[in-house]
Structures are given as C-alpha cells and as structure tokens.
Amino acid sequence: MVDTKTQYLKIKEEVDAGIREVLDSAAYINGKPVQTFGNNLSAYLNIEHTITCGNGTDALQIAMMALDLQPGDEVITPSFTYIATVEVIALLRLKPVFVEVDPATFCIDPAAIRAAITPNTKAIVPVHLYGHAAPMEEIMEIAREYSLYVIEDNAQAIGCDYTFTDGSKRKTGTIGTIGTTSFYPSKNLGAYGDGGAIFTRDAALAEKLKMIANHGQKVRYYHELVGCNSRLDTIQAAILNVKLEHLDDYIDARQKAAAFYNQAFAGVEKITVPVVKPYCKHVYHQYTLILNGVDRNALAEYLFSKQVPSMIYYPVPAHRQKMFDALGGSRYNLPVTDWLTERVISLPIHTEMDEAQLAYISDHVLNFLNA
Ligand SMILES: Cc1ncc(COP(=O)(O)O)c(C=O)c1O
C-alpha cells in the first residue's frame, strides 16, 4: 500500500546524516532534534504550540487528560474511524457516543452531532479520515453554542488546508481546542518508528499537555499532575525534520496519483471515487472507493492475484467491536456507517507511484468490473 523504502532512498543522505548526528551527540532522549522538530512543525502548521509525544494514540489520550474530563462525561465521535480515536475515550472511563458520518466525505456528520448532544456532552472528536477534512466550521459553531471542547484527530490529514466561508485558511489539527497527529511510518508524515504530536493555541493548555506527557512534572522529580511517559524519540525527530521539508511535495504526489485514479474511474457506475468538498485540500492518506453492487472480496482477491494490494479501512466499525459490548456498542443504529463498512476499499496510494503503476492498478480494477 505504501513504498517507504523508495522514498527513503531519495532522502537517504539527509536522513542518515541526521541519525548519525544523534548517535554522535549521545542525546538519545529529548535531544535537540525533538525541540527543533516541534518548532518546525509549529511553523509549518502556523500554530503556537506543538507538544511531541510517543504516538498518535498517546496524543489523543494526553489531550483528553488535559481537558479534565470526568468519568461518565460524553464524548461524541464517529464510529467509522480507526480504533485509537475511540479506545482512549473508553480507557479514561469517559463515554464514547458514536455518531454517523457523511457518506460523501467519510467524516463526522454535524447534524448527527447536534442530535447526540445531552447535558453530559463535554467534547467532540472529529476525525479527518483518509486525508479529507471534517466540516470544522460547522463543528466549531456547534462547539461554541454548547460550550464543548473539540479534539481533532488529524492522524491521517497532516498538511490538509481548510478554507472557511470568509476565505481564511487553517491547517487541520489547528482549528479545534486541541489537535493530534501520528507519525506512524505509513502516515503522510511518517517516521521510521512511532511518533505523535499535539497542537494548541492556548499557552496554559500547552503547558499542561507538556507536563502530562512527562509524568506530570514541570520540575524534575516534582510531580504536580497524574501524567504518563510519552516521548518522541530523538532519532525519529531527526528523521521527521528531514521529511517535513518534503511534506508538501509528498502531498502533491498523492494528489497526482488520486487525479490519475479519478480520471481512470470517471463515469464507472460501480465505483464512487473520493469526493472533495470545496473547503478542503484532500491530502489522500488513503484513496478509498465505494463499490456499488460489486463483490468486494472477489475484487480484492483478483487484485491480489495480480500483485495489487488493497485494504478495507476498517472492516468493523467501532460500535460493533467486541470491546464496546459492555458499553452498549451494539445498541447503536448507524446505517450509514454499516453501509460504508460493507462497501469501501482502498487502493495503493503513496509518494512513489508512477503512471505505469497507476495504470496497471486501475486497469485491473476495471478489468474485474467489466468481466
Ligand atoms: C485516525 C487515527 N487516529 C489515531 C491513530 C493512532 O496513531 P498511532 O498508531 O501513532 O498511535 C491513527 C493511526 O494509526 C489513526 O489513523
């Protein structure tokens, strides 16, 4: 699905030099590249505070811990997402309230958010799924109206631009109360191991997020808050510093690949290609089709037989996962989520695809559909 090796070979010299510097410095924990990367990422995203951490799941957990949410507080979130988004809600003994997504964008539906609000609702967690932005303008209006926190799960959409109706722009992850991201290797800004980050404009909140990620301490061995231990590794920070320079080119390459697929599949009734709303610059973490009247397993097997990988993101929505049985997951009625879960398929998309590969993949998809 991705080709991180070819991508690495193109930036090998810079990356290897960065890693060597860390080894030479012997500053393995919280070395200089960690600070530099945090600052560089803040500048790229145009956000005041970036707190780096161990991974994207920790980022979500630390965000929720910093907002002082109490057991039983309700957090509205899509069920159609990666499990990390909702798992941390349950881990902190908060109550996940699963709502529908818009079938066009795969992102949380503002009307469903409104319908799910109760006096116990404290936060909304939109996910910018597959690299398409959730409708943040409407979400922020709802949040203001009901005094709710917004934690943007931006693990899949780093670099995505959001345009508001007044023409102003912001990067996703910098619009809500807090934004989070992941540097998992296959992500658009991927490390060569785990990594994550948290974003906020609020200086006091930033201080608290930083403390929570560091055992609740500001001064070493003086622990003011219950926290955790979540650090971006110095070697990963050195690698990410190099890759951040290339992020916009990487996004361009993904957009070009998506445009090729879109053209190849234009007018094919059995396929719905990804929709891009005017407010969003899609960064195509995934290229996900909706199949209409197609045997998905048979298509995946056919592609596999032609050495073309494909994936189902995600085969079971959160509310149907066994881990949520005790929290009443199966009582939810989310027909759009179920409908999408049965029909989506993601094709390979990454920064190193050439036209021959794209043509090979799309031709085989079309061969199967036309057989
Ligand atoms: C939407 C979403 N949220 C959270 C995460 C968690 O990130 P990590 O794997 O770095 O913990 C991921 C990625 O894996 C993700 O895709």
Side-chain angles (χ1 to χ4, degrees):
M1 297 294 285
V2 289
D3 181 1
T4 48
K5 178 79 186 284
T6 307
Q7 191 194 55
Y8 162 64
L9 293 175
K10 291 183 180 165
I11 52 172
K12 184 176 174 1
E13 268 182 40
E14 301 160 81
V15 168
D16 290 2
I19 294 173
R20 253 196 322 274
E21 261 177 54
V22 176
L23 297 179
D24 288 340
S25 75
Y28 309 125
I29 302 291
N30 285 333
K32 203 167 149 221
V34 178
Q35 187 66 41
T36 316
F37 175 64
N39 293 341
N40 291 345
L41 193 53
S42 282
Y44 175 83
L45 296 172
N46 189 20
I47 182 93
E48 283 80 349
H49 307 281
T50 295
I51 296 94
T52 54
C53 64
N55 56 63
T57 309
D58 282 1
L60 286 159
Q61 181 185 324
I62 294 162
M64 286 179 209
M65 288 170 77
L67 294 173
D68 285 334
L69 303 178
Q70 299 301 313
D73 283 352
E74 293 175 10
V75 179
I76 297 176
T77 174
S79 174
F80 194 73
T81 182
Y82 181 57
I83 200 67
T85 318
V86 294
E87 185 182 35
V88 296
I89 301 173
L91 183 75
L92 296 172
R93 299 276 179 257
L94 311 172
K95 185 176 172 210
V97 174
F98 299 116
V99 301
E100 286 286 32
V101 290
D102 174 347
T105 62
F106 309 106
C107 292
I108 197 163
D109 176 356
I113 297 176
R114 278 190 184 278
I117 290 172
T118 76
N120 297 327
T121 307
K122 292 287 159 19
I124 308 166
V125 184
V127 182
H128 304 304
L129 201 72
Y130 304 151
H132 189 289
M136 289 308 295
E137 188 154 1
E138 279 176 273
I139 292 169
M140 294 311 290
E141 270 166 29
I142 297 170
R144 268 191 294 275
E145 204 178 312
Y146 292 92
S147 300
L148 305 176
Y149 297 121
V150 176
I151 302 167
E152 295 175 74
D153 184 345
N154 198 35
Q156 299 192 4
I158 196 130
C160 174
D161 286 315
Y162 190 98
T163 307
F164 290 84
T165 40
D166 67 2
S168 63
K169 280 185 201 281
R170 276 211 185 292
K171 296 277 191 200
T172 53
T174 71
I175 302 165
T177 322
I178 301 181
T180 65
T181 201
S182 162
F183 305 120
Y184 186 82
S186 61
K187 293 287 190 268
N188 286 22
L189 179 59
Y192 296 155
D194 279 307
I198 312 165
F199 314 106
T200 184
R201 304 194 169 276
D202 181 325
L205 195 50
E207 187 73 22
K208 199 164 167 194
L209 289 160
K210 212 167 152 184
M211 285 170 72
I212 291 173
N214 183 24
H215 298 295
Q217 65 189 335
K218 219 176 328 185
V219 178
R220 207 170 186 192
Y221 304 128
Y222 291 82
H223 306 275
E224 297 173 44
L225 300 168
V226 173
C228 57
N229 175 26
S230 188
R231 297 186 281 244
L232 179 64
D233 183 77
T234 307
I235 289 179
Q236 299 307 331
I239 294 161
L240 287 165
N241 260 326
V242 174
K243 292 189 73 177
L244 181 58
E245 299 262 323
H246 299 274
L247 179 57
D248 284 339
D249 290 339
Y250 291 162
I251 292 171
D252 280 353
R254 286 174 178 273
Q255 287 173 333
K256 285 202 179 92
F260 187 102
Y261 280 141
N262 285 344
Q263 202 171 6
F265 300 140
V268 178
E269 270 182 28
K270 291 179 180 167
I271 287 178
T272 305
V273 300
V275 167
V276 187
K277 291 283 182 182
Y279 57 73
C280 163
K281 184 187 84 172
H282 202 318
V283 295
Y284 293 103
H285 175 57
Q286 300 298 343
Y287 183 85
T288 303
L289 301 171
I290 302 174
L291 301 174
N292 313 308
V294 177
D295 180 338
R296 184 172 63 175
N297 284 343
L299 170 60
E301 275 167 30
Y302 173 79
L303 292 175
F304 187 72
S305 75
K306 305 293 177 194
Q307 285 87 47
V308 175
S310 63
M311 288 293 286
I312 312 302
Y313 300 117
Y314 297 93
V316 182
H319 73 287
R320 293 193 181 281
Q321 295 287 353
K322 205 156 182 243
M323 66 156 81
F324 290 119
D325 279 359
L327 290 171
S330 58
R331 285 203 299 272
Y332 281 89
N333 179 27
L334 301 173
V336 175
T337 295
D338 287 336
W339 186 87
L340 286 174
T341 301
E342 285 160 19
R343 284 167 182 77
V344 288
I345 189 163
S346 299
L347 298 180
I349 191 160
H350 54 81
T351 59
E352 308 307 314
M353 298 186 89
D354 59 31
E355 294 214 342
Q357 288 172 316
L358 288 158
Y360 180 86
I361 296 166
S362 43
D363 283 352
H364 278 302
V365 171
L366 294 171
N367 286 348
F368 178 84
L369 297 182
N370 296 328

